[in-house]
Amino acid sequence: MLRVVVLGAAAGGGVPQWNCGCEGCRAARASGHDLMRTQASVAFSGDGEHWFLINASPDLRQQLNATPQLHPKTGALRHTPIAGVILTNGEVDAVAGLLSMREGSPFTIYAHEKVLAILGSNSIFNVLNEKTVRRQPTEINEPFEPRLPDGARSGIEVLPFAVPGKSAWYLEGKAHPGGETGDGDTLGLKITDKTTGKCFYFIAACAEVTDALKAEIDGAALVFFDGTVWRDDEMIKAGLGQKTGKSMGHVAMSGEDGAIARLADLDIDTKIFLHINNSNPALLPTSPERKATEAAGWQIPADGTEIVL
């Protein structure tokens, strides 16, 4: 069976963000951890012993310490149950946590060549010795089975697929190390237990809900979906920035073309918003936006939430 743990549910910067005094951040600081969220990542396992991460957030060390399933086994001097990390994009909040995994334990990084090119162009990632930490290219619409550290099969199939998005913001106006053409900067993942056939989807960045995307995820047992902003101009209205959600590669939760409306007619057992920005009022438990989100059948998860399929 598939086990999935939400390591972090927030967008870049987390909640509260270190330099932010918006309503969400103030509420999180006053909540005694109830509203606090670290940056988005999940872990999954098919056997409860070997785990794979989807993205490695800057909060990874904190997340691993808070997740008993990912602790070294009792009695081992050096050990990790983490067998691999699957990257869906090259943003800071998806790759920076790799630097916290530099202590010599073997695992594999799986990513599209465009994202691997970003890692390869920045020498700081050389702290992950490629003799120990392999970098395995993945292809869009080509399923693969991530391997355990000893090379054994994991029993899990991962299917990367392209979703509307953009390259990492820090590459704006610069040459992309992986080239300017083609998809690969923003991926969704379908994760399937090959024994049971149960699957879930992870889509933490998506600029538009297309008909093709709807067809892909219809009928899923579990979907993690981009919940960065409630409304497209949210950060501008709040005085927190000058960019819309869509210009950053994120569709709004609300509105006629938002995720809630566009996905309302799909048959999905469990719908969870992830990558939620500190500006998003749906974070607040008593807000009208949270009530509307839950009334539509969506969940706002706490860090540490575990789902078994």
Side-chain angles (χ1 to χ4, degrees), residues 2-244:
L2 273 175
R3 293 173 170 83
V4 189
V5 178
V6 177
L7 301 181
V15 182
Q17 182 176 301
W18 69 281
N19 64 342
C20 186
C22 73
E23 182 181 6
C25 288
R26 294 198 309 272
R29 291 189 183 97
S31 71
H33 297 288
D34 288 347
L35 298 183
M36 292 185 177
R37 303 288 190 276
T38 58
Q39 294 165 89
S41 175
V42 306
F44 67 87
S45 174
D47 59 10
E49 181 179 353
H50 302 93
W51 291 79
F52 296 89
L53 309 183
I54 301 180
N55 295 336
S57 90
D59 297 321
L60 183 60
R61 179 181 175 277
Q62 175 184 344
Q63 292 167 343
L64 298 186
N65 285 336
T67 308
Q69 299 94 320
L70 302 181
H71 291 177
K73 64 183 178 183
T74 302
L77 185 61
R78 285 291 179 96
H79 169 263
T80 177
I82 298 171
V85 180
I86 304 166
L87 302 177
T88 64
N89 62 71
E91 292 284 4
V92 171
D93 50 341
V95 304
L98 292 171
L99 301 177
S100 296
M101 302 178 73
R102 64 189 183 275
E103 279 80 15
S105 291
F107 66 94
T108 301
I109 299 171
Y110 300 90
H112 190 274
E113 288 183 348
K114 292 191 76 173
V115 174
L116 290 181
I118 292 173
L119 301 185
S121 69
N122 191 329
S123 60
I124 195 171
F125 288 102
N126 292 341
V127 296
L128 298 166
N129 189 327
E130 292 192 54
K131 293 181 180 179
T132 304
V133 180
R134 295 194 312 113
R135 301 182 186 184
Q136 179 67 45
T138 63
E139 297 288 340
I140 294 172
N141 297 327
E142 292 289 337
F144 66 93
E145 183 174 0
R147 299 296 180 120
L148 306 184
D150 63 0
R153 294 181 178 274
S154 64
I156 294 173
E157 180 180 274
V158 179
L159 175 66
F161 57 93
V163 296
K166 58 185 291 296
S167 61
W169 68 266
Y170 55 82
L171 292 176
E172 291 179 1
K174 299 179 175 63
H176 194 302
E180 302 297 334
T181 61
D183 293 322
D185 282 302
T186 306
L187 299 180
L189 300 176
K190 179 184 181 182
I191 313 294
T192 304
D193 185 321
K194 297 176 71 172
T195 299
T196 66
K198 293 289 184 71
C199 71
F200 75 93
Y201 286 85
F202 181 93
I203 307 165
C206 181
E208 180 185 4
V209 180
T210 63
D211 289 341
L213 177 59
K214 291 178 63 174
E216 172 64 47
I217 65 178
D218 196 11
L222 169 65
V223 171
F224 292 101
F225 198 81
D226 187 347
T228 306
V229 294
W230 174 257
R231 52 182 288 174
D232 190 49
D233 62 353
E234 174 178 297
M235 294 187 67
I236 298 172
K237 291 286 188 181
L240 297 174
Q242 298 302 315
K243 291 186 176 183
T244 63

